[in-house]
Amino acid sequence: MKLNSEEVNAIALESRLLLTEEELSNAVRYINNFLDMLDRFKELNLENVEPFSFAETLECPLREDTVISFTNTQAIFDESEHVDGAFFKVPRIMEE
Amino acid sequence: MAELTFTPVIGIEIHIRLKSDTKIFCSCSTNPDSEPNTNICPVCMGLPGTLPRLNHKVVEQGMRAGLALNCGIRPKSLFFRKSYFYPDLPKGHQISQCDLPITTEGFIEVHDENGNLKKIRVHHLHLEEDVGSLHHSASDGRLEGAATSYVDYNRSGMPLAEIVSEPDVSSAKEAVEYVTTLRRRVIYSGASDVELEKGMMRFDANVSMKCSDGRWGRKVEVKNMNSFKALERAIEFEIKRQRKMMLNGEEVKQETRHWNDAKGVTTASRTKEFYRKFIVEPDLPPLHISQEEIDAVKAKMPEMPDVKANRYVNELNIPREVADVITDDKNLAAYFEECLKFDANPVRISHWVRTEVLRVLNETQKKISDFTITPENLAKLVSRVDEGKLSTTQGKEVFDYMFKNNSGIDEAIKNLGITEGGVAGNALNEIIQNILKENPDVLEEIKSGKDKKGKKLKFLQGLVMKETKGQAKPQEVAAAIEEAVK
Ligand SMILES: [Zn+2]
């Protein structure tokens, strides 16, 4: 599998990244090298091998369902420059 | 040329709020009535350096909901980060089990167009977090220019179950029955109250059309339906739209469309769909669920509504329609079953619940949980009417009195001045009127003066005495009948 520069640029835009010509060609080379490496796995016999999904062997720690209110919500508001009363202000995005 | 026929192929995605006290990954409250932006913390606000901690209760609720949909529970599931740039989700990604869900492969039964049972397969149910809510006017209600929206992050991180069906639905009607039945079963399971008016259930539908000439239109995803009615209308609209396009030889292209409830149309989405980019959530190791835990949740699952309704019909001889109405509401069914503990006839009780209880709840816009007549008092009332100690009219008077005054049956009877066992006055007249209605020929004979010896009057008296089970005074009966036939 290979990606062309148009596809890589589309992915970059999805990630909110604007790439210069040079950055784009580097990214294309980098990503395709990586995909080449993945292609090599196809040569392996992976029958009966459970797909790898997580690097640790930990189990997911679970939490009791007990409310602990965060008391310093003001600090969160203070981090935002765009506040109006009890609300955070964001650019309007309307879906019609 | 043969006429072209079209078969809709529909899959449905449902989001349901699961019931828990705290959010899925932090200890903030899930209270839906809180003031805006009060149930927020660094975790659900996506601040750097925070870690999600999975709520055990949400895992259990997901299992319950899955079991209610006849799904199997997977011993291992995993969370992913789904990239999502939108101001209602401050992390920039939604944590979701999209790829390795907690429960899979279930089904819900609906009736097809011929009234036969048909299985709609449930592909899976997975756990994920909700996003904040956007308001397009300020807190004081004033609408500002188009530049700004206002966000309340109380909803950010609320626990959701996403339920994805296979494309087995063939009509808007089937879709509505699917979501209605599914909702009822999830409520029974205790996983969620699924209050529609509070936005606890939202729908998306994938609609495509198969034509008898072999063409198969592309799949259109319709979003933004928040009620059963909206789901039904949106699917009907989309079926018509795609059918018309295919009849005109146009190609239906794969796209996302939004349901506009006010205008009753779907419109092409202007925003381009995001790439569905997932990575494994590195902060949440795989979720393992032991067989013991699965068995424990299974053991706690209550009887499902359709199973319950069948039991009412088969074991208690309750009419199907009445059984379906009572089991439609989990709490109403629980109330009915409480009544059965007090020794009254189940069929008679079921009719009182179906008609009188639902009538006053409807009239007063109350829920069964606010109903003031205790199961014991209703059971006693039904028994006394059954035994003829109270006429049906008196029974209803007592019922209304108990409901309005939050009183017991004896108090109600006393305060209404009813002499129990002595059928007289209005109750007696009611019985006489019914008997006269049932015997119009006899009444006619008496009125035309043919009953010279009074035989027919005696005959009527006998019927009335029998109906009152001997609880009325014969002289009163005779007098009342003579009055009634005048
Ligand atoms: Zn929080």
Side-chain angles (χ1 to χ4, degrees):
Chain A
M1 185 182 171
K2 290 252 188 252
L3 293 184
N4 60 33
S5 57
E6 211 171 287
E7 288 164 328
V8 172
N9 203 34
I11 294 168
L13 286 175
E14 282 294 324
S15 313
R16 305 297 188 263
L17 295 172
L18 281 177
L19 303 181
T20 64
E21 277 300 319
E22 194 189 341
E23 285 167 335
L24 181 62
S25 65
N26 282 340
V28 171
R29 197 174 326 115
Y30 178 80
I31 290 174
N32 282 330
N33 279 341
F34 181 70
L35 292 174
D36 284 344
M37 190 185 82
L38 291 182
D39 277 340
R40 288 177 55 200
F41 287 123
K42 288 183 184 160
E43 295 160 19
L44 301 172
N45 178 7
L46 296 176
E47 217 172 308
N48 300 324
V49 176
E50 194 189 341
F52 174 82
S53 52
F54 208 79
E56 301 279 349
T57 51
L58 297 169
E59 283 198 15
C60 190
L62 296 175
R63 172 175 61 77
E64 286 301 309
D65 186 31
T66 310
V67 175
I68 305 169
S69 294
F70 181 69
T71 47
N72 198 4
T73 51
Q74 190 52 47
I76 298 177
F77 278 96
D78 291 345
E79 289 298 313
S80 174
E81 286 178 38
H82 310 286
V83 170
D84 184 345
F87 290 92
F88 294 91
K89 287 202 293 186
V90 296
R92 185 180 181 111
I93 307 172
M94 279 281 275
E95 193 63 75
E96 266 151 29
Chain B
M1 198 174 99
E3 201 183 331
L4 295 176
T5 56
F6 292 86
T7 313
V9 179
I10 305 163
I12 296 174
E13 284 176 25
I14 306 172
H15 286 89
I16 287 180
R17 164 86 42 77
L18 293 172
K19 187 159 75 180
S20 64
D21 290 338
T22 65
K23 293 183 178 181
I24 182 169
F25 298 121
C26 63
S27 300
C28 288
S29 166
T30 52
N31 182 354
D33 303 319
S34 299
E35 292 298 312
N37 289 310
T38 50
N39 299 328
I40 57 172
C41 76
V43 176
C44 55
M45 291 298 288
L47 298 187
T50 58
L51 288 173
R53 256 302 183 88
L54 182 58
N55 184 346
H56 197 163
K57 177 81 180 184
V58 172
V59 175
E60 187 186 320
Q61 297 294 47
M63 291 164 72
R64 282 172 173 272
L67 290 171
L69 313 181
N70 303 298
C71 286
I73 293 168
R74 293 166 65 109
K76 183 180 164 188
S77 54
L78 193 64
F79 287 91
F80 295 81
R81 291 183 175 184
K82 188 169 161 184
S83 287
Y84 174 94
F85 289 101
Y86 211 67
D88 54 10
L89 188 67
K91 281 202 297 286
H93 63 260
Q94 181 191 30
I95 304 179
S96 167
Q97 284 192 314
C98 42
D99 239 18
L100 278 175
I102 182 166
T103 70
T104 53
E105 291 181 56
F107 66 88
I108 289 287
E109 282 183 322
V110 301
H111 293 85
D112 67 14
E113 56 184 337
N114 302 316
N116 298 321
L117 276 181
K118 154 181 179 181
K119 276 185 181 157
I120 307 295
R121 289 169 298 155
V122 173
H123 181 270
H124 75 266
L125 173 153
H126 72 243
L127 304 174
E128 61 183 32
E129 59 182 335
D130 207 344
V131 298
S133 35
L134 287 169
H135 301 266
H136 302 294
S137 62
S139 46
D140 59 5
R142 92 197 115 89
L143 273 165
E144 285 218 346
T148 313
S149 291
Y150 299 82
V151 204
D152 174 6
Y153 289 112
N154 281 350
R155 206 177 68 184
S156 171
M158 292 262 211
L160 294 180
E162 181 176 326
I163 301 161
V164 181
S165 86
E166 298 282 0
D168 294 345
V169 177
S170 312
S171 68
K173 195 177 144 284
E174 282 181 22
V176 171
E177 191 181 348
Y178 169 73
V179 295
T180 308
T181 305
L182 184 147
R183 172 173 179 265
R184 195 186 301 127
R185 292 181 73 99
V186 170
I187 292 175
Y188 264 73
S189 78
S192 170
D193 296 330
V194 204
E195 292 177 80
L196 295 165
E197 65 280 10
K198 288 188 182 161
M200 290 190 186
M201 193 175 191
R202 315 197 285 264
F203 314 100
D204 303 321
N206 293 307
V207 182
S208 63
M209 298 290 274
K210 228 169 152 175
C211 181
S212 53
D213 65 5
R215 282 182 300 156
W216 194 340
R218 303 293 292 274
K219 190 171 80 178
V220 173
E221 189 173 11
V222 189
K223 290 182 165 287
N224 197 33
M225 287 87 81
N226 296 319
S227 68
F228 291 165
K229 196 76 215 155
L231 176 71
E232 184 176 17
R233 290 170 69 210
I235 290 176
E236 272 169 4
F237 178 87
E238 201 49 35
I239 287 173
K240 264 192 208 147
R241 188 187 71 87
Q242 293 183 20
R243 187 173 176 276
K244 197 173 161 195
M245 284 181 79
M246 289 171 80
L247 277 173
N248 290 341
E250 293 170 60
E251 201 174 313
V252 179
K253 62 175 193 280
Q254 182 161 354
E255 63 176 346
T256 299
R257 298 179 71 86
H258 277 259
W259 171 246
N260 183 323
D261 205 52
K263 292 183 184 154
V265 297
T266 65
T267 49
S269 180
R270 277 178 295 139
T271 47
K272 219 177 78 197
E273 261 302 275
F274 298 115
Y275 281 98
R276 292 193 175 262
K277 289 174 294 185
F278 309 125
I279 59 164
V280 171
E281 168 58 82
D283 293 337
L284 287 166
L287 172 63
H288 291 276
I289 299 173
S290 67
Q291 191 55 46
E292 291 79 60
E293 183 157 17
I294 295 173
D295 292 342
V297 173
K298 272 187 182 165
K300 280 193 272 181
M301 286 292 284
E303 184 179 38
M304 285 289 119
D306 44 340
V307 178
K308 197 183 271 299
N310 287 339
R311 179 167 63 81
Y312 288 180
V313 172
N314 297 330
E315 291 176 20
L316 303 175
N317 292 317
I318 290 167
R320 166 61 63 184
E321 187 269 340
V322 177
D324 284 346
V325 170
I326 292 178
T327 54
D328 182 51
D329 178 344
K330 179 190 183 185
N331 295 327
L332 190 66
Y335 179 86
F336 167 67
E337 291 185 18
E338 267 312 299
C339 293
L340 297 183
K341 292 180 182 162
F342 299 97
D343 232 24
N345 178 322
V347 176
R348 301 290 310 141
I349 296 235
S350 74
H351 283 293
W352 276 79
V353 170
R354 163 78 179 91
T355 52
E356 295 309 305
V357 175
L358 285 181
R359 175 182 60 81
V360 295
L361 290 178
N362 198 22
E363 281 169 7
T364 54
Q365 289 294 302
K366 282 188 171 167
K367 289 181 178 170
I368 184 70
S369 47
D370 307 320
F371 189 58
T372 47
I373 302 177
T374 64
E376 183 173 9
N377 278 317
L378 184 67
K380 279 185 181 165
L381 174 64
V382 173
S383 292
R384 290 190 203 185
V385 172
D386 244 13
E387 291 158 9
K389 289 179 182 165
L390 296 171
S391 70
T392 309
T393 310
Q394 285 173 330
K396 286 182 184 167
E397 279 173 35
V398 172
F399 180 90
D400 284 337
Y401 187 92
M402 289 198 291
F403 177 68
K404 283 190 192 113
N405 300 290
N406 199 2
S407 85
I409 185 163
D410 294 321
E411 187 191 338
I413 287 171
K414 187 165 158 258
N415 289 348
L416 287 167
I418 295 169
T419 324
E420 218 184 324
V423 179
N426 281 343
L428 181 58
N429 282 329
E430 179 194 328
I431 290 172
I432 290 171
Q433 288 306 331
N434 284 339
I435 299 246
L436 290 181
K437 247 183 249 162
E438 286 162 16
N439 298 278
D441 46 335
V442 179
L443 178 62
E444 192 48 45
E445 230 172 295
I446 295 171
K447 278 196 167 171
S448 61
K450 282 182 195 160
D451 185 33
K452 298 235 164 52
K453 290 179 183 166
K455 270 190 178 172
K456 296 292 170 187
L457 272 178
K458 281 258 155 36
F459 169 71
L460 290 177
Q461 280 175 27
L463 288 179
V464 172
M465 286 308 283
K466 197 176 156 204
E467 185 63 30
T468 62
K469 298 189 169 74
Q471 302 279 335
K473 295 197 178 74
Q475 306 92 309
E476 281 179 27
V477 173
I481 291 182
E482 274 174 47
E483 188 65 27
V485 299
K486 263 184 194 162

